[in-house]
Amino acid sequence: TDSKNCKYAIKDSWVESTHNADDDMRDEAKHLHKIHKRLGKFEDVKGCYPTIIAGGRIRLNRSDDSEAVDDTTASILGDLFNDVAVPLGDSGSENSSNKSERSFLVPFRVHKRIATTPIGKPLRHLDCPLKLIKVMADVMRVHGRMRWDADILHRDISTNNVLFYETDDGQDVCGLLIDFDHAIDCSVANYRSHMDRSGTLPFMSINNLETNVELITGLDDWESALYMLCWIGTYGFNADLASSKEVYGKLKIRKWCEGLLDDIVDSKRKDMSFSPLFYQLTKVFLPYAHVETLQDLTDDLRTALFENPNLEPEFHGALSKPDELDRTNEIDPVANRKHKERELMASLQEVLERYAKETKTLRISKI
């Protein structure tokens, strides 16, 4: 490729990390190198994930010609960084020289920079639900490839991390999944011990909100994708303006991001368990052309994830129910579905691909 015609996205960030780069479980550059190596042979996801050109930790040369150091909050603050640390579980009345026993009031953050291609546009530049469906089909297809062929779980599907760009012939759009700061390499031993609650509040899955790290799988990202589609359907492509709309306070979906976390979880569990409650969400989607297609898609995705007809009743819904074999116990279908991750992810992708294919003619006419 002629480098003069290439355009690169530069991401400059300060992220919480480990002192030792080898122990960094959320190294975006490392994840992107692995993804490129593992997925390069799959034509169906070409251009749907960032190709890393260069990137890593920023290192600084000191004026005294000593060895270069990572640019971190600790290197900037020097001795002051240690001075603002207190013993864990203590108000600071005791001293501890062991860093593992100390709680740092200033997080240890590392300065990182990466260059990637292609460059995508935010979803607010879309104007048609049919294009959104194609974008999401691409994004969730590469999400599945990453999960099963690269052992990378993204963990933050949101309106900020899903971009798009026009294809070279200008006849269609392509989805682009970005931002792997919260991604986890599932091939690493004890990878779940490095998980915590992450994501964008309205789109966070039930497991994520409850910090059930032992239960989090690719299905949680699919749950986030469903919430994201509902959010855009309700507030439009420029969903960032949602909170400023007068109608915001009257909409049922507002409960996904207001109040205590327990209240948000309760609302999502109920909305996903009952078709009539879910319909109360989708019936107020904005009247875009072909919005009915987006309504049908979200309903089919909810069914495929929460009421999949190919699974037994104990996997249905999102509310706990009595165990028929032991009435003293309850079954949580959200937890149970962890064991059907691959099967359900395939079913969900099949739904999205079908809608993307069926709407292609109409979609291209909108380009």
Side-chain angles (χ1 to χ4, degrees):
T1 303
D2 183 356
S3 61
K4 293 182 180 179
N5 295 323
C6 289
K7 295 182 179 179
Y8 305 110
I10 306 297
K11 178 180 177 181
D12 190 277
S13 59
W14 287 82
V15 296
E16 288 194 43
S17 184
T18 56
H19 289 259
N20 188 335
D22 293 335
D23 298 329
D24 188 355
M25 289 287 291
R26 296 183 183 176
D27 188 331
E28 184 169 21
K30 187 188 301 181
H31 291 332
L32 290 177
H33 279 299
K34 183 178 183 182
I35 290 168
H36 178 72
K37 182 178 180 180
R38 296 286 186 88
L39 302 192
K41 62 183 178 181
F42 296 109
E43 288 295 321
D44 62 341
V45 293
K46 184 178 181 180
C48 297
Y49 59 90
T51 296
I52 185 167
I53 306 302
R57 296 187 174 204
I58 301 296
R59 293 182 63 79
L60 302 177
N61 291 315
R62 294 179 171 177
S63 58
D64 59 1
D65 293 328
S66 59
E67 184 179 355
V69 297
D70 289 341
D71 189 14
T72 69
T73 49
S75 64
I76 292 173
L77 294 174
D79 292 339
L80 182 60
F81 183 80
N82 293 322
D83 291 342
V84 295
V86 297
L88 288 174
D90 191 88
S91 62
S93 58
E94 298 179 8
N95 294 319
S96 174
S97 59
N98 187 345
K99 287 186 177 181
S100 65
E101 298 176 358
R102 307 177 78 186
S103 173
F104 291 88
L105 302 183
V106 177
F108 180 80
R109 293 183 180 272
V110 177
H111 188 191
K112 298 181 179 181
R113 188 177 296 149
I114 60 172
T116 62
T117 188
I119 295 177
K121 299 178 182 179
L123 295 180
R124 65 175 178 271
H125 293 288
L126 285 176
D127 59 2
C128 172
L130 304 185
K131 297 177 187 177
L132 174 64
I133 291 171
K134 169 60 165 58
V135 168
M136 291 305 295
D138 290 341
V139 163
M140 297 314 293
R141 187 186 316 116
V142 75
H143 171 274
R145 286 290 190 195
M146 290 176 185
R147 175 69 182 95
W148 303 118
D149 295 289
D151 294 310
I152 300 294
L153 185 58
H154 188 274
R155 299 180 65 235
D156 191 11
I157 302 296
S158 70
T159 52
N160 291 326
N161 296 335
V162 174
L163 306 180
F164 80 98
Y165 59 92
E166 286 82 16
T167 53
D168 291 338
D169 59 10
Q171 295 299 303
D172 208 347
V173 291
C174 182
L176 176 65
L177 181 60
I178 66 166
D179 197 345
F180 292 78
D181 283 336
H182 293 292
I184 287 288
D185 187 336
C186 301
S187 68
V188 176
N190 300 319
Y191 71 91
R192 290 192 181 276
S193 64
H194 297 272
M195 284 186 175
D196 56 9
R197 184 186 293 123
S198 64
T200 307
L201 188 57
F203 317 128
M204 290 171 67
S205 71
I206 293 168
N207 280 327
N208 201 352
L209 287 166
E210 294 181 333
T211 324
N212 292 327
V213 296
E214 290 300 320
L215 302 177
I216 290 177
T217 66
L219 296 178
D220 293 275
D221 282 344
W222 269 99
E223 191 178 331
S224 294
L226 173 57
Y227 296 150
M228 176 181 151
L229 289 172
C230 290
W231 193 264
I232 294 175
T234 303
Y235 295 116
F237 292 102
N238 199 355
D240 292 340
L241 300 179
S243 60
S244 66
K245 294 191 175 184
E246 292 181 4
V247 72
Y248 175 76
K250 302 177 182 178
L251 295 175
K252 192 174 187 296
I253 201 172
R254 78 186 190 281
K255 294 182 178 179
W256 290 2
C257 60
E258 289 185 351
L260 301 175
L261 289 182
D262 287 346
D263 296 329
I264 296 174
V265 168
D266 183 63
S267 178
K268 286 186 172 182
R269 281 186 180 271
K270 290 177 180 177
D271 289 341
M272 296 302 116
S273 289
F274 304 106
S275 182
L277 290 181
F278 189 74
Y279 173 71
Q280 295 301 312
L281 293 168
T282 62
K283 75 174 185 178
V284 297
F285 281 7
L286 293 175
Y288 285 100
H290 307 293
V291 69
E292 68 281 354
T293 304
L294 183 60
Q295 291 169 320
D296 291 343
L297 170 62
T298 54
D299 187 56
D300 284 352
L301 288 175
R302 186 202 71 85
T303 299
L305 179 56
F306 291 93
E307 293 184 298
N308 195 296
N310 296 321
L311 298 183
E312 295 77 12
E314 59 262 33
F315 297 99
H316 289 183
L319 295 174
S320 296
K321 59 190 73 175
D323 185 343
E324 293 184 0
L325 299 178
D326 183 358
R327 306 298 287 187
T328 62
N329 290 330
E330 286 193 335
I331 294 176
D332 184 356
V334 175
N336 277 357
R337 280 193 290 271
K338 162 188 176 180
H339 306 292
K340 301 292 183 178
E341 179 185 11
R342 186 184 287 269
E343 180 179 345
L344 284 173
M345 284 180 63
S347 178
L348 288 157
Q349 189 65 44
E350 182 181 355
V351 171
L352 250 184
E353 298 287 3
R354 173 165 51 85
Y355 272 83
K357 181 179 180 180
E358 291 175 353
T359 59
K360 182 176 181 178
T361 302
L362 286 171
R363 183 177 68 249
I364 291 179
S365 69
K366 297 288 183 181
I367 299 295

